[in-house]
Amino acid sequence: MPAYFDDVLTYFREEHESNFTIDEENQIVRASVQGENLMYETAVLWDDATQRISFRVVNIAVVPERLRDHACVLTNLINWQLILGNFEIDMEDGEMAFRISFDVDDGALGQKQINTHFMLMLAIVDKYYPAFQRLMWQDYSPMAAFRTIEEE
């Protein structure tokens, strides 16, 4: 069986120097990455059992309880536009996150593929983060917040 987690480790060692932590037991690499809008907490997880890699931005924001339904509408408007990945909101605590995941199976997982998905994830979150900020802190409706991103 190929050692895909080794590919993930190599990518982070070559591209992100020492700005990451490794959880070998759970096969997770965590890194803080500065985006255009804020510092993002990321996690790249490898699952041997399913041969699946997941790229995540966690704790993007905490949506106030009174706005969670509106944030879900905005999330749906955004996710409908995306070809790959999706925003998620935990309705219990309001944590907003983003995830891209896919099966590798017998295919190849290399540095270019890891970099492409990692950077795409950050670009998507950076693009849509302002819409969530407008919804939460400027009293925009979900549609109005979404339209501000389309106009940029």
Side-chain angles (χ1 to χ4, degrees):
M1 180 182 303
Y4 291 123
F5 188 62
D6 291 341
D7 290 336
V8 174
L9 294 177
T10 300
Y11 167 74
F12 276 92
R13 288 182 177 127
E14 290 178 3
E15 300 296 325
H16 297 280
E17 299 173 1
S18 62
N19 299 328
F20 60 91
T21 60
I22 302 167
D23 177 346
E24 294 253 4
E25 182 180 340
N26 295 305
Q27 298 191 92
I28 301 171
V29 177
R30 290 181 172 80
S32 297
V33 180
Q34 182 62 51
E36 210 174 287
N37 295 299
L38 74 141
M39 180 73 72
Y40 298 112
E41 298 302 318
T42 67
V44 178
L45 303 81
W46 175 255
D47 184 344
D48 281 326
T50 62
Q51 296 289 284
R52 176 175 286 275
I53 188 167
S54 295
F55 299 83
R56 297 180 182 171
V57 177
V58 298
N59 299 318
I60 297 169
V62 175
V63 179
E65 189 170 359
R66 67 181 178 78
L67 293 173
R68 289 184 193 155
D69 288 343
H70 290 294
C72 285
V73 172
L74 177 56
T75 297
N76 190 59
L77 290 168
I78 293 169
N79 286 345
W80 187 255
Q81 302 298 311
L82 300 177
I83 294 171
L84 187 63
N86 62 284
F87 283 91
E88 302 169 340
I89 297 174
D90 183 330
M91 293 301 283
E92 301 254 336
D93 65 9
E95 178 190 347
M96 186 173 65
F98 184 84
R99 175 178 45 191
I100 295 174
S101 62
F102 56 90
D103 297 332
V104 177
D105 290 328
D106 293 333
L109 179 66
Q111 303 307 298
K112 183 177 180 185
Q113 189 176 23
I114 294 169
N115 182 61
T116 297
H117 287 86
F118 189 78
M119 299 310 288
L120 175 65
M121 171 184 71
L122 293 172
I124 291 169
V125 174
D126 243 359
K127 177 180 179 176
Y128 291 103
Y129 177 77
F132 287 101
Q133 289 299 97
R134 290 177 184 115
L135 177 91
M136 290 187 290
W137 309 118
Q138 296 177 342
D139 293 325
Y140 278 57
S141 71
M143 185 56 80
F146 179 71
R147 284 191 182 124
T148 65
I149 300 304
E150 290 181 321
E151 294 166 0
E152 290 179 357

